[in-house]
Amino acid sequence: MTMEKGMSSGEGLSQISAVKVTAKDLETKQPQKDRRGGFVLVHAGAGYHSESKAKEYKHVCKRACQKAIEKLQAGALATDAVTAALVELEDSPFTNAGMGSNLNLLGEIECDASIMDGKSLNFGAVGALSGIKNPVSVANRLLCEGQKGKLSAGRIPPCFLVGEGAYRWAVDHGIPSCPPNIMTTSRVDSERETERKVFLFAVGSPSNGCRGRRIALIRRQEQGFSLAAFKRNKRKLELAERVETDFIQLKKRRQSSEKENDSGTLDTVGAVVVDHEGNVAAAVSSGGLALKHPGRVGQAALYGCGCWAENTGAHNPYSTAVSTSGCGEHLVRTILARECSHALQAEDAHQALLETMQNKFISSPFLASEDGVLGGVIVLRSCRCSAEADSSQNKQTLLVEFLWSHTTESMCVGYMSAQDGKAKTHISRLPPGAVAGQSVAIEGGVCRLESPVN
Amino acid sequence: MTMEKGMSSGEGLSQISAVKVTAKDLETKQPQKDRRGGFVLVHAGAGYHSESKAKEYKHVCKRACQKAIEKLQAGALATDAVTAALVELEDSPFTNAGMGSNLNLLGEIECDASIMDGKSLNFGAVGALSGIKNPVSVANRLLCEGQKGKLSAGRIPPCFLVGEGAYRWAVDHGIPSCPPNIMTTSRVDSERETERKVFLFAVGSPSNGCRGRRIALIRRQEQGFSLAAFKRNKRKLELAERVETDFIQLKKRRQSSEKENDSGTLDTVGAVVVDHEGNVAAAVSSGGLALKHPGRVGQAALYGCGCWAENTGAHNPYSTAVSTSGCGEHLVRTILARECSHALQAEDAHQALLETMQNKFISSPFLASEDGVLGGVIVLRSCRCSAEADSSQNKQTLLVEFLWSHTTESMCVGYMSAQDGKAKTHISRLPPGAVAGQSVAIEGGVCRLESPVN
């Protein structure tokens, strides 16, 4: 990929260095007979992915892509394919979603997840949900039930359930519960070489609120069990609270953590899918920040913030799907998923996404008081294009453009088309010298899918 | 007010009758010395308000306006003034918010509320909150705490809390709890002439999903205690479930309820405020639909959906504030509060709001499968205008345009400026023959506020 580093020219953006990556055109193989097409792009979070764990993050992204493609090839709905990818991502102990999620201040797991169907424009979401292994399955079931129309006595079916009520609804709809001790202390899949779970959370610089300062971060130790991690995190939080009363000690601590070259991981997971008919779907799932307040709901549960999917229509030349990751409060206040989806109707997807990340995210007036703006998105857009000269007349070509962009130090992605033998994975990083929270990385590609004309 | 009935001209809107009401210019008196200015507009829900209870709804709107104006005159923040209005609306047993809210399927009260500050653009929200008399107070406290910056160890303060976690946070921050039996069975304020609480919920027409059919509604009996109402509602729900297995019986039932000329009340409450400096704030609070699923969260808790407030800025010639009411799922899927706020930057506020209600709400592709689209909004926008010839040179004039618009049968509003002796109240209704869910009513006015130059 050709990389080009430049300065943005927009008003108020003079301090933002933009990294422009020219997309590589990924020509895919011809489709196999009797197998349906489609494309999936997944992420294992925008945050920080160390080189030492890159292999594990890539592996789970690869498996998630394969699960979605298997569904698409079997003719499943885009929403079912995106759910299959998310289930795989949630089941990994390396991601902060589903099993092994970050624990809140009370040592409990509370998950957020949502899904959107670009065809029906329906949405399902759960927030602060405990005791269910795959929160995305509950979100997808809410979406499906919502599509069946009104409940008895004309009651409107819910699209967003939280807490104990969400748990009861899930169990009532046949989704098995999972004891909290299994979710919090699960051992890593025996195929994996280590039994580790990383717990990190962002530590801001001291109280003055000016922008442009580097975010200092404390790295939490790796260990095998999330409950032990929680206890260690709590002790470190108590220490931090004592330390922060003494600015000199705090400064020393920050310098020390900067030397370790660590950063915060905000490893929400998500996926976007387009099926062989051009229908899109998007989903997102998160365990939220470590030591969050119980009951806190982040962007992964919120309409317009965590994911967005919208098929082509009268006013939309493109079908679009978006999934976000990062600091929930930043993604909520900018309604970033929907913002990206709207921007992607412009002619140049790459430029539109870059401008959105700069103007509507980093420079958003809604985040003017933040030290740094941390997030990432994966997006795809697709449209039917005229058959190429060498194509047979009973084939349609679906042009899929896919991109990822982040302001965090790194973002782990994977992608695969039904015509590929295996998924490609990548850990995208800000270039050396770029400052997390103030710079944008953007990369992507193009995929052409051929499918029989219906 | 001059009323004019016409047909809209937009694509796909041929079945929508629009009611255009030319705003009456409300010239207010000169400000009293040593008292600060400001304006408040409140609503007691978009739904159905019977003539017999009009007096009660108007009375609570009047009191809410007075509370907000008292705060503004004392120099309070716009957010504190809007909170004061909401507390009054929540405390009324006639509204579906706070005390005496609708009960869910388990016979519990679970409330949603949110608030937004146009100056800081901060937001606070609670969802599915039980055991707190004034949910808006918790939302406002979350907003205030969020403005203080990061928590210990750099944790980002939450802006949205739900369920038990929200309750714990509120109590930990000194907000008193309120036993559920008091909230569910509270007697009406002794000043009121009756002890009644109306429990209504919408009943759609049978399963086929075509648009344009009239929504049939079952009116629930009035009674003094919400627990008794819940039991009656449950029995009626069970009856409805049996009845719906027999279409003929259902048809009879619908005809019967239509004869009663009743409609659904979706009586969320809300307010928008502008203070003497031109800062705006908006808030909303709701008990949700009767017999909703526990854990269901509606628009009143959701960013962009329940309320929006945004001061004038580089790209916004006007400060805008919006609060919505109606069917939560419809308001969520159209992100209606934010949509209205953006539209209000156009030159003609009345036309912009009408077009938004028609094109982005009733005709929204996100609600294409709905029988009728039920909601209402109150909006205000303000800008500084040049001093008039007869004004003294040390005065500034703030031009405030305010509007309400609804697709429901009625909407109850109240408004007051700091220069008025008392609030004005109004129950806006669709004209005879207009169909709820398919027609738009819109009315409003203009107010000029004078305040000393800072």
Side-chain angles (χ1 to χ4, degrees), chain A residues 215-451:
Chain A
I215 293 171
L217 298 141
I218 295 176
R219 181 177 181 182
R220 299 300 170 196
Q221 275 190 292
E222 300 173 12
Q223 70 290 298
F225 299 95
S226 54
L227 194 58
F230 164 72
K231 288 174 182 168
R232 260 201 293 277
N233 276 337
K234 280 280 273 190
R235 281 199 301 274
K236 288 187 179 179
L237 174 64
E238 285 155 19
L239 176 67
E241 284 176 348
R242 284 200 298 275
V243 164
E244 283 180 18
T245 60
D246 185 334
F247 183 70
I248 298 166
Q249 283 189 41
L250 174 64
K251 206 170 166 185
K252 279 183 191 165
R253 186 177 179 80
R254 288 182 56 222
Q255 284 167 345
S256 161
S257 66
E258 279 169 10
K259 274 183 202 151
E260 288 167 17
N261 195 28
D262 285 325
S263 185
T265 188
L266 304 149
D267 42 359
T268 303
V269 301
V272 289
V273 156
V274 56
D275 70 16
H276 71 288
E277 291 181 349
N279 300 310
V280 290
V284 63
S285 182
S286 176
L289 287 172
L291 300 185
K292 68 183 175 183
H293 195 282
R296 178 262 194 189
V297 173
Q299 107 285 359
L302 296 181
Y303 190 67
C305 309
C307 67
W308 195 264
E310 202 171 342
N311 272 13
T312 181
H315 304 291
N316 304 337
Y318 299 98
S319 295
T320 57
V322 182
S323 180
T324 69
S325 172
C327 172
E329 279 71 10
H330 297 177
L331 299 161
V332 170
R333 291 169 68 186
T334 51
I335 314 187
L336 192 63
R338 189 183 186 234
E339 204 68 69
C340 289
S341 170
H342 282 207
L344 286 168
Q345 298 299 335
E347 195 175 331
D348 183 339
H350 183 283
Q351 187 61 25
L353 183 61
L354 179 61
E355 285 176 6
T356 302
M357 291 297 284
Q358 288 174 333
N359 303 343
K360 303 289 177 83
F361 192 54
I362 289 180
S363 300
S364 169
F366 294 87
L367 300 173
S369 63
E370 300 296 322
D371 298 340
V373 175
L374 296 168
V377 294
I378 55 171
V379 309
L380 73 74
R381 74 174 194 184
S382 73
C383 64
R384 298 241 171 252
C385 53
S386 53
E388 292 179 14
D390 60 348
S391 293
S392 63
Q393 289 183 337
N394 61 345
K395 299 277 183 191
Q396 274 192 333
T397 300
L398 198 66
L399 182 72
V400 181
E401 293 168 88
F402 56 97
L403 293 154
W404 50 90
S405 179
H406 55 97
T407 66
T408 52
E409 300 227 4
S410 61
M411 186 169 192
C412 183
V413 298
Y415 50 93
M416 184 177 182
S417 92
Q419 295 150 209
D420 293 332
K422 63 176 187 176
K424 293 179 182 70
T425 57
H426 176 59
I427 294 188
S428 170
R429 295 185 189 281
L430 288 180
V435 179
Q438 298 168 44
S439 303
V440 180
I442 181 165
E443 296 179 72
V446 179
C447 168
R448 286 188 180 81
L449 301 174
E450 289 196 356
S451 63

Side-chain angles (χ1 to χ4, degrees), chain A residues 118-191:
Chain A
K119 189 176 182 182
S120 67
L121 301 174
N122 274 330
F123 175 76
V126 289
L129 172 65
S130 299
I132 300 287
K133 189 170 75 74
N134 294 113
V136 73
S137 302
V138 188
N140 191 33
R141 188 66 186 269
L142 276 164
L143 183 146
C144 295
E145 293 296 318
Q147 287 176 338
K148 292 178 184 171
K150 293 212 170 79
L151 305 175
S152 61
R155 288 169 306 140
I156 294 162
C159 65
F160 180 30
L161 290 176
V162 300
E164 177 69 15
Y167 171 81
R168 283 185 213 154
W169 189 95
V171 172
D172 288 349
H173 285 78
I175 296 170
S177 66
C178 181
N181 62 324
I182 291 180
M183 289 190 72
T184 53
T185 65
S186 64
R187 296 178 76 85
V188 176
D189 178 351
S190 59
E191 285 178 19

Side-chain angles (χ1 to χ4, degrees), chain B residues 59-87:
Chain B
H59 189 84
V60 65
C61 284
K62 191 176 286 185
R63 285 204 311 267
C65 287
Q66 285 164 343
K67 292 285 181 184
I69 292 298
E70 283 167 18
K71 285 276 183 187
L72 290 172
Q73 286 175 331
L77 296 171
T79 47
D80 288 339
V82 87
T83 300
L86 265 282
V87 164

Side-chain angles (χ1 to χ4, degrees), chain B residues 79 135 143 201 298 312:
Chain B
T79 47
L143 182 146
F201 62 92
T312 182

Side-chain angles (χ1 to χ4, degrees), chain A residues 11 105-106 116 120-122 128 150 152-162 165-166 168-169 201-204 237 240-241 244 289 291 293-297 302-303 308 310 315 327 329 332-333 335 338-339 365-366 371, chain B residues 11 105-106 116 120-122 128 150 152-162 165-166 168-169 201-204 237 240-241 244 289 291 293-297 302-303 308 310 315 327 329 332-333 335 338-339 365-366 371:
Chain A
E11 189 188 7
L105 269 177
L106 296 179
M116 189 163 175
S120 67
L121 301 174
N122 274 330
K150 293 212 170 79
S152 61
R155 288 169 306 140
I156 294 162
C159 65
F160 180 30
L161 290 176
V162 300
R168 283 185 213 154
W169 189 95
F201 62 92
V203 176
L237 174 64
E241 284 176 348
E244 283 180 18
L289 287 172
L291 300 185
H293 195 282
R296 178 262 194 189
V297 173
L302 296 181
Y303 190 67
W308 195 264
E310 202 171 342
H315 304 291
C327 172
E329 279 71 10
V332 170
R333 291 169 68 186
I335 314 187
R338 189 183 186 234
E339 204 68 69
F366 294 87
D371 298 340
Chain B
E11 190 188 6
L105 268 177
L106 297 179
M116 188 161 175
S120 67
L121 300 174
N122 273 332
K150 292 211 170 77
S152 62
R155 288 169 306 140
I156 294 161
C159 65
F160 180 30
L161 291 175
V162 300
R168 283 186 213 154
W169 189 94
F201 62 92
V203 175
L237 174 64
E241 285 176 348
E244 283 180 18
L289 287 172
L291 300 186
H293 195 283
R296 178 264 193 187
V297 173
L302 297 180
Y303 189 67
W308 196 263
E310 203 171 340
H315 304 292
C327 172
E329 280 70 11
V332 170
R333 291 169 68 186
I335 314 187
R338 188 182 186 235
E339 204 68 67
F366 293 87
D371 297 340

Side-chain angles (χ1 to χ4, degrees), chain B residues 55-206:
Chain B
K55 192 177 158 192
E56 285 137 7
Y57 282 108
K58 286 180 176 179
H59 189 84
V60 65
C61 284
K62 191 176 286 185
R63 285 204 311 267
C65 287
Q66 285 164 343
K67 292 285 181 184
I69 292 298
E70 283 167 18
K71 285 276 183 187
L72 290 172
Q73 286 175 331
L77 296 171
T79 47
D80 288 339
V82 87
T83 300
L86 265 282
V87 164
E88 196 65 27
L89 291 162
E90 286 177 341
D91 284 348
S92 165
F94 294 103
T95 62
N96 176 25
M99 297 283 282
S101 285
N102 284 340
L103 305 192
N104 68 17
L105 268 177
L106 297 179
E108 302 158 345
I109 283 182
E110 290 188 331
C111 295
D112 302 332
S114 61
I115 184 168
M116 188 161 175
D117 176 17
K119 188 176 183 181
S120 67
L121 300 174
N122 273 332
F123 175 75
V126 289
L129 171 65
S130 299
I132 300 289
K133 188 171 75 76
N134 294 112
V136 73
S137 302
V138 189
N140 191 33
R141 188 64 186 270
L142 276 164
L143 182 146
C144 295
E145 294 296 319
Q147 287 176 338
K148 292 179 184 171
K150 292 211 170 77
L151 305 175
S152 62
R155 288 169 306 140
I156 294 161
C159 65
F160 180 30
L161 291 175
V162 300
E164 178 69 15
Y167 171 81
R168 283 186 213 154
W169 189 94
V171 172
D172 287 350
H173 285 78
I175 295 170
S177 65
C178 181
N181 62 323
I182 290 179
M183 289 190 73
T184 52
T185 64
S186 64
R187 297 178 75 86
V188 177
D189 179 350
S190 60
E191 286 177 19
R192 309 302 314 139
E193 63 195 37
T194 55
E195 291 180 352
R196 294 184 296 186
K197 177 71 192 165
V198 182
F199 281 79
L200 299 144
F201 62 92
V203 175
S205 33

